[in-house]
Amino acid sequence: GAPVPLLMPDASDFRTFPAGAEPGTVLHAILEHAPFDGAEEQLRPLVQEHLSRLPLKDGEFEARAQATRSMMQRLLRAPIATFGFALHEVPTHHTLREWQFLLPLASANHAMTRQALADVFARHGGAHGERYAEQILRLGVTRVHGYLTGFVDLLFEHHGRWYVVDWKSNQLGFEPGAYDTLALQEVMDGHHYTLQYHLYLVAAHRYLRQRVPGYTYDTHIGGAAYAFLRGFAGDAADTSGWYVDRPAAALIHALSDVLDGVSPAAGGRA
């Protein structure tokens, strides 16, 4: 027979939360200030305050607020794939929200090239790195130098290891599987979030190397996790939403060297 039309969920389903820059900024603001171990009642005033900045339709505010609180409860309690814990276990004083970093992009004499970046991923990133290296070569920029500054949504420490987390409000669809691992991998590579989180880990690596006695990447870095917020709107058995990776130390060291203008062929440094 004819295919059954897919009915778009209503405002009570977080997957229908308004898309775009302004709603994304509102969600980031809520997560920047949310206590991870908080009960839903603690989230209520925070969600109310920030959602009031959006031009929501008459009568839908409470449904949107409830959907946002439910998403956050699931986000904070869903075990982070391969990490073995959930965010609600992380005390607030172990978190750095909107952590600012500064990375050198080589120098005027030794500009970082997309070829050098691609070579590092192809050499140290395994099968995924080889595939992603081809996408790096399609980046618009060919040579850059100067400084890269940015903000990591969340840097936190848990049981002696450090993690970076980024919140993503991308609208990927309403059907089951829209936020599963394969779908998220495509989005991560296609939008170059993959390059983004590798740079975040380089920044964390360089930051901790100066501050943690006896620091090594393998001991102290737990990995990167991207939370696709709409993926936490399914039923309780649904484990989609988290994209997680922990690149090899050799890849992070080599990327750090490339940012310093050191040729990967020169052997690199720890």
Side-chain angles (χ1 to χ4, degrees):
V4 178
L6 185 66
L7 295 176
M8 182 168 162
D10 63 20
S12 65
D13 187 321
F14 184 75
R15 288 172 297 178
T16 71
F17 195 85
E22 190 180 8
T25 299
V26 164
L27 292 170
H28 272 75
I30 293 170
L31 286 157
E32 181 183 349
H33 297 101
F36 291 166
D37 55 355
E40 187 172 347
E41 286 312 305
Q42 287 180 274
L43 298 176
R44 185 179 294 273
L46 190 62
V47 169
Q48 298 283 120
E49 174 193 345
H50 289 287
L51 281 200
S52 65
R53 291 157 46 191
L54 291 177
L56 298 175
K57 294 176 191 163
D58 288 346
E60 74 173 70
F61 184 92
E62 190 44 51
R64 293 286 184 208
Q66 175 59 52
T68 303
R69 293 194 302 270
S70 297
M71 174 278 291
M72 289 185 64
Q73 288 289 89
R74 187 160 301 151
L75 164 71
L76 297 174
R77 300 195 172 275
I80 307 173
T82 76
F83 287 3
F85 61 89
L87 284 179
H88 77 90
E89 299 172 55
V90 180
T92 297
H93 65 277
H94 285 195
T95 68
L96 293 169
R97 319 284 179 104
E98 293 293 312
W99 176 65
Q100 186 174 18
F101 65 88
L102 186 70
L103 285 172
L105 294 180
S107 66
N109 296 327
H110 297 91
M112 183 184 72
T113 65
R114 65 184 178 193
Q115 184 65 58
L117 272 179
D119 287 349
V120 166
F121 276 92
R123 186 173 303 169
H124 300 291
H128 174 231
E130 288 183 24
R131 290 194 305 275
Y132 184 58
E134 296 173 15
Q135 291 192 241
I136 287 180
L137 291 175
R138 293 197 286 270
L139 275 170
V141 177
T142 53
R143 292 168 65 81
V144 283
H145 66 85
Y147 284 92
L148 170 72
T149 185
F151 291 87
V152 176
D153 290 340
L154 174 65
L155 173 69
F156 72 88
E157 181 268 327
H158 188 65
H159 293 170
R161 305 190 95 182
W162 292 76
Y163 303 82
V164 296
V165 171
D166 205 78
W167 317 119
K168 291 296 180 197
S169 57
N170 306 48
Q171 173 57 271
L172 304 182
F174 306 109
E175 67 281 359
Y179 299 86
D180 67 15
T181 305
L182 282 175
L184 296 186
Q185 184 72 73
E186 199 170 308
V187 172
M188 293 294 295
D189 291 350
H191 289 268
H192 289 292
Y193 298 154
T194 297
L195 178 58
Q196 185 182 53
Y197 76 76
H198 280 83
L199 293 175
Y200 287 172
L201 286 172
V202 169
H205 163 70
R206 294 167 77 116
Y207 173 77
L208 297 171
R209 190 171 61 186
Q210 297 174 344
R211 288 164 177 79
V212 176
Y215 168 83
T216 67
Y217 177 89
D218 282 331
T219 301
H220 293 98
I221 297 284
Y226 273 47
F228 285 81
L229 303 179
R230 296 171 201 269
F232 296 93
D235 63 52
D238 188 359
T239 57
S240 61
W242 281 117
Y243 176 88
V244 175
D245 188 25
R246 186 174 180 276
L251 175 50
I252 298 302
H253 289 155
L255 266 179
S256 185
D257 283 340
V258 164
L259 294 178
D260 281 335
V262 178
S263 166
R269 298 162 305 192

